[in-house]
């Protein structure tokens, strides 16, 4: 029994060893396994690479692992051998890769997938050698698209004055399609900011009308497509944008009336709802500029309300609109506060019809190779400098002085990026002129410093007006201002014409000034006329009769003539008025057309002590009396 048991134990141990050849009890493989491993061919380069042994129970898996490890080691050796190659060949390979990347970029419409910054900088460095190449133009196009989109997305009421110069710094003529697409997407995504985007388009439209027209044309085209597709959301956003462009003066009000007629011709709940929203935005403008058309639109709203074909919700919306009209659109003004940035005379209005054929120019949204790229960039640079003024980078580097006068002069030299139409630049200019005048010791120093103030073309009248305003603010007249004006007039004909223009403007509005200011202004111009600084042709605007004069104008003429008499003497003054050229200019002062006016002028000049000037009028009055 004991021998049989021992035999069974030994047989079980043998079975276990045959099942696990890799066990620690019997590490040597069997003869069968050894023959199988010897029959397989060794892995390639196994002896040369001195590969580590792979401990695997399955011979097939072990052979596969050895083969993969050998392939990895061979790849590493190949990379090492490439790193020791000639650098010239390496540069040629890099150049070929750059061209391939550029080809991939130019073959895509929208700019391709995201590119890491380091890779993008490498491509830009490779393309910078030839700025007229398609590769460089494509990279600059992508940069322009990203820049315009970023600027448009961050505009708001508080920073619009800073954003507009940045926007003009980009090539808006080349990227006008990109700008139109960006501003339309941004407006559709944030409807409360529609007035801001409309103000942005209005400012750009004053300098680059083709950009404003493109935005308007695309909006009208988008509205037509959305209306045909019954897309209520797009119709609402588009009409809101169009309403604020009409308020800003970019679009003509005819497009608003055409849209309202289209929406109310066959009224439905959606069309009437869109029309009500559109009317709330543009109603104040229509009520002010075209009252008859506005009345007819509300009559159509009232008829729609009475017909009862629409839901109660939309009927209530019309009733609310009627109440908004009664309240004179107090919550929907034409131009919100802070967005009245463009003067009405500066704005260019585009008359785009709803039914006309529109050129939306979708090709402007995609990159196209420009054979005259460098010339066009130079042309836009000239346009940009004209809009923004000279480069402010060089001027901003100038040293700041401690006193207020120097700060003011630098403020003029550092020109604004764009005239924002809010009057800020004008206020700064007037402050500079005021400080310069007040800090001058004598009139010669004042003129010398004022001539250094940099003025844009047409701003000479602002300096003239500021000199006169400073003179009028004094408690009593100071000859300092008269000498300043005289010196300016004798320097250049431009200043003479500006002072003559100012004479006419101040005489027309002299009734707005109190007596002390009126007196100073009169004596100032009396000094200029007595010293022949300005021509006596300026008297053409004065008509001495009962209808054309007021108490203020009569006081103005009295003080003016008395100042001239004190400077010239009565005899010289009378002889000067007898000059033929002066006589033609002063026909309104000494009228001889109607006896009533002649009698009034004689009495007036006699009462102020200048009866010697009325001799010819008295002779004329005698002749008239004899004829009667």
């Amino acid at each position: 029994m004991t021998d049989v048991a021992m035999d069974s134990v030994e047989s079980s141990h043998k079975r276990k060893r045959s099942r696990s050849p890799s066990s620690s009890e019997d590490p040597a493989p069997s003869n069968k396994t050894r023959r199988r491993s010897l029959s397989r061919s060794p892995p390639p380069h196994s002896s040369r690479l001195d590969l580590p042994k792979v401990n695997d129970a399955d011979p097939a898996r072990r052979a596969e692992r050895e083969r993969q490890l050998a392939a990895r080691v061979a790849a590493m050796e190949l990379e090492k051998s490439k790193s020791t190659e000639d650098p010239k060949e390496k540069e040629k390979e890099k150049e070929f890769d750059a061209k391939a990347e550029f080809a991939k970029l130019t073959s895509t419409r929208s700019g391709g997938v995201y590119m890491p910054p380091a890779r993008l900088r490498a491509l830009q460095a490779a393309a910078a050698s030839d700025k007229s190449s398609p590769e460089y133009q494509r990279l600059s196009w992508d940069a322009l698209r990203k820049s315009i989109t970023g600027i448009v997305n961050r505009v708001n009421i508080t920073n619009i004055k800073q954003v507009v110069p940045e926007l003009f710094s980009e090539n808006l003529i080349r990227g006008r399609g990109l700008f139109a697409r960006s501003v339309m997407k941004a407006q559709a995504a944030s409807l409360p900011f529609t007035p801001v985007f409309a103000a942005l388009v209005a400012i750009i439209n004053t300098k680059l009308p083709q950009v404003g027209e493109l935005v308007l044309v695309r909006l009208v085209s988008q509205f037509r497509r959305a209306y045909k597709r019954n897309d209520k959301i797009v119709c609402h956003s588009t009409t809101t944008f169009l309403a604020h462009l009409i308020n800003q003066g970019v679009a003509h009000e005819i497009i608003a009336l055409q849209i309202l007629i289209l929406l109310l011709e066959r009224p439905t709940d959606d069309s009437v709802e869109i029309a009500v929203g559109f009317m709330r935005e543009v109603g104040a403008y229509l009520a002010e500029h075209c009252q008859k058309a506005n009345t007819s639109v509300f009559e159509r709203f009232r008829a729609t309300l009475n017909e009862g074909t629409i839901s109660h919700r939309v009927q209530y919306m019309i009733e609310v609109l009627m109440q908004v009209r009664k309240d004179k659109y107090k919550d929907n003004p034409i131009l919100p506060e802070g967005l009245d940035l463009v003067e009405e005379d500066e704005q260019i209005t585009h008359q785009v019809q709803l039914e006309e054929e529109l050129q939306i120019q979708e090709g402007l949204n995609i990159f196209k190779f420009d054979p005259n790229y460098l010339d066009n960039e130079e042309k836009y640079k000239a346009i940009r400098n004209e809009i923004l003024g000279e480069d402010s980078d060089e001027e901003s580097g100038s040293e700041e002085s401690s006193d207020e006068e120097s700060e003011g002069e630098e403020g003029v030299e550092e020109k604004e990026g764009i005239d924002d139409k809010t009057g800020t630049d004008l206020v700064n200019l007037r402050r500079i002129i005021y400080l310069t005048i007040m800090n001058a010791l004598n009139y010669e120093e004042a003129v010398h410093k004022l001539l250094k103030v940099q003025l844009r073309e047409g701003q000479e009248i602002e300096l003239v007006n500021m000199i006169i305003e400073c003179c009028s603010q004094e408690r009593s007249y100071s000859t300092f201002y008269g000498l300043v004006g005289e010196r300016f007039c004798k320097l250049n004909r431009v200043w003479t014409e500006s002072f003559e223009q100012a004479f006419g403007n101040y005489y027309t509005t002299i009734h707005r000034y109190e007596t002390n200011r009126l007196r100073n202004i009169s004596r100032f111009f009396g000094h200029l006329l007595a010293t022949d600084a300005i021509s006596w042709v300026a008297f053409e605007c004065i008509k001495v009769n009962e209808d054309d004069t007021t108490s203020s104008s009569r006081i103005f003429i009295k003080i003016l003539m008395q100042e001239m008499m004190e400077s010239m003497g009565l005899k010289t003054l009378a002889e000067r008025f007898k000059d033929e050229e002066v006589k033609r200019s002063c026909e309104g002062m000494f009228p001889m057309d109607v006896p009533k006016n002649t009698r009034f002028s004689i009495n007036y000049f006699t009462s102020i002590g200048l009866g010697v000037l009325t001799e010819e009028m008295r002779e004329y009055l005698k002749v008239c009396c004899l004829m009667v």
Side-chain angles (χ1 to χ4, degrees), residues 86-99:
D86 189 6
K88 293 183 179 180
E89 295 182 359
K90 198 170 183 180
E91 290 178 1
K92 290 182 180 179
E93 185 177 356
K94 284 185 179 180
E95 183 180 355
F96 174 78
D97 292 339
K99 290 183 178 180

Side-chain angles (χ1 to χ4, degrees), residues 26-66:
D26 190 10
S30 63
N31 294 334
K32 187 175 180 181
T33 305
R34 187 181 298 109
R35 286 195 300 272
R36 186 182 302 168
S37 62
L38 291 174
S39 63
R40 288 181 178 275
S41 60
H45 308 292
S46 61
S47 60
R48 181 168 62 86
L49 298 175
D50 193 15
L51 298 175
K53 294 181 180 180
V54 179
N55 187 14
D56 200 330
D58 189 358
R61 292 178 61 189
R62 181 175 60 195
E64 180 65 22
R65 294 277 184 88
E66 290 176 352

Side-chain angles (χ1 to χ4, degrees), residues 117-375:
R119 189 177 179 188
L120 181 62
R121 285 195 295 270
L123 289 178
Q124 290 174 343
S129 57
D130 184 10
K131 293 188 177 181
S132 61
S133 61
E135 294 84 4
Y136 182 83
Q137 291 188 28
R138 181 53 189 259
L139 288 177
S140 65
W141 173 266
D142 291 338
L144 178 66
R145 172 174 52 82
K146 294 176 183 177
S147 178
I148 290 176
T149 303
I151 292 172
V152 169
N153 287 340
R154 64 185 175 87
V155 66
N156 55 47
I157 296 179
T158 57
N159 69 357
I160 188 171
K161 298 175 186 176
Q162 290 77 32
V163 164
V164 170
E166 297 180 21
L167 200 54
F168 274 117
S169 297
E170 306 295 336
N171 192 339
L172 283 180
I173 294 179
R174 186 186 184 210
R176 58 187 184 276
L178 300 176
F179 171 76
R181 183 176 61 182
S182 298
V183 76
M184 289 172 64
K185 284 186 177 180
Q187 183 270 338
S190 53
L191 291 182
F193 284 88
T194 303
V196 181
F197 295 118
L200 181 67
V201 174
I203 295 172
I204 293 174
N205 184 65
T206 59
K207 305 298 181 182
L208 300 174
Q210 62 269 41
V211 179
E213 185 179 12
L214 181 63
V215 174
L216 180 59
V217 166
R218 289 190 175 183
L219 283 171
V220 174
S221 176
Q222 184 177 5
F223 170 75
R224 295 196 307 198
R225 291 197 307 269
Y227 182 78
K228 290 178 182 179
R229 297 173 183 174
N230 295 324
D231 193 339
K232 178 182 174 182
I233 297 175
V234 176
C235 278
H236 177 60
S237 64
T238 306
T239 52
T240 303
F241 203 172
L242 285 171
H244 286 282
L245 287 179
I246 294 169
N247 293 340
Q248 289 284 349
V250 178
H252 197 269
E253 59 267 19
I254 188 66
I255 187 67
L257 299 175
Q258 290 176 347
I259 291 175
L260 289 169
I261 291 172
L262 178 66
L263 293 173
L264 298 176
E265 184 179 5
R266 289 188 292 272
T268 62
D269 285 355
D270 291 339
S271 67
V272 174
E273 184 176 349
I274 294 170
V276 169
F278 181 58
M279 199 63 189
R280 292 189 68 162
E281 302 294 340
V282 79
Y285 183 90
L286 295 179
E288 182 177 339
H289 291 84
C290 43
Q291 298 179 358
K292 292 184 179 179
N294 182 61
T295 304
S296 63
V297 169
F298 273 96
E299 289 296 330
R300 182 57 187 158
F301 272 117
R302 191 172 288 105
T304 304
L305 185 63
N306 295 332
E307 288 171 1
T309 57
I310 55 179
S311 64
H312 292 289
R313 180 181 66 88
V314 181
Q315 290 179 9
Y316 178 72
M317 292 179 68
I318 296 177
E319 293 175 357
V320 172
L321 178 63
M322 300 290 186
Q323 185 61 41
V324 169
R325 183 193 183 190
K326 289 181 180 179
D327 295 338
K328 296 183 179 180
Y329 304 93
K330 62 180 181 180
D331 295 329
N332 301 91
I334 298 177
L335 295 177
E337 184 179 357
L339 294 178
D340 188 7
L341 304 176
V342 180
E343 292 186 2
E344 188 175 355
D345 297 338
E346 294 274 334
Q347 190 57 270
I348 299 173
T349 304
H350 304 283
Q351 294 189 5
V352 179
Q353 304 290 331
L354 186 62
E355 299 296 334
E356 69 176 280
E357 185 178 355
L358 302 175
Q359 300 293 332
I360 58 176
Q361 304 180 42
E362 287 188 351
L364 296 175
N365 296 347
I366 60 176
F367 167 73
K368 290 182 181 179
F369 174 71
D370 185 5
N372 301 321
Y373 174 74
L374 295 179
D375 294 339

Side-chain angles (χ1 to χ4, degrees), residues 331-439:
D331 295 329
N332 301 91
I334 298 177
L335 295 177
E337 184 179 357
L339 294 178
D340 188 7
L341 304 176
V342 180
E343 292 186 2
E344 188 175 355
D345 297 338
E346 294 274 334
Q347 190 57 270
I348 299 173
T349 304
H350 304 283
Q351 294 189 5
V352 179
Q353 304 290 331
L354 186 62
E355 299 296 334
E356 69 176 280
E357 185 178 355
L358 302 175
Q359 300 293 332
I360 58 176
Q361 304 180 42
E362 287 188 351
L364 296 175
N365 296 347
I366 60 176
F367 167 73
K368 290 182 181 179
F369 174 71
D370 185 5
N372 301 321
Y373 174 74
L374 295 179
D375 294 339
N376 292 334
E377 286 293 319
E378 290 297 325
K379 290 179 182 178
Y380 184 77
K381 189 179 294 184
I383 295 173
R384 181 188 63 194
N385 291 338
E386 183 180 354
I387 295 172
L388 302 181
E390 297 178 0
D391 295 336
S392 58
D393 297 337
E394 300 176 358
E395 297 170 358
S396 61
S398 60
E399 298 181 355
E400 296 184 357
S401 59
S402 59
D403 59 329
E404 294 179 344
E405 176 194 340
S406 302
E407 291 177 0
E409 290 177 1
E410 288 179 3
V412 175
E413 290 176 358
E414 295 174 2
K415 293 189 177 179
E416 292 283 338
I418 183 175
D419 187 3
D420 58 12
K421 304 303 179 186
T422 60
T424 305
D425 56 342
L426 188 58
V427 171
N428 292 333
L429 176 62
R430 290 176 175 174
R431 180 177 62 86
I432 294 159
I433 297 171
Y434 175 77
L435 293 174
T436 304
I437 294 173
M438 292 297 114
N439 291 331

Side-chain angles (χ1 to χ4, degrees), residues 69-111:
L69 187 59
R72 291 177 186 173
V73 174
M76 291 173 61
E77 288 190 352
L78 184 60
E79 290 181 0
K80 290 181 180 178
S81 63
K82 283 186 178 181
S83 63
T84 59
E85 290 179 358
D86 189 6
K88 293 183 179 180
E89 295 182 359
K90 198 170 183 180
E91 290 178 1
K92 290 182 180 179
E93 185 177 356
K94 284 185 179 180
E95 183 180 355
F96 174 78
D97 292 339
K99 290 183 178 180
E101 292 292 341
F102 280 130
K104 187 185 297 183
L105 274 177
T106 53
S107 62
T108 57
R109 277 178 65 114
S110 60

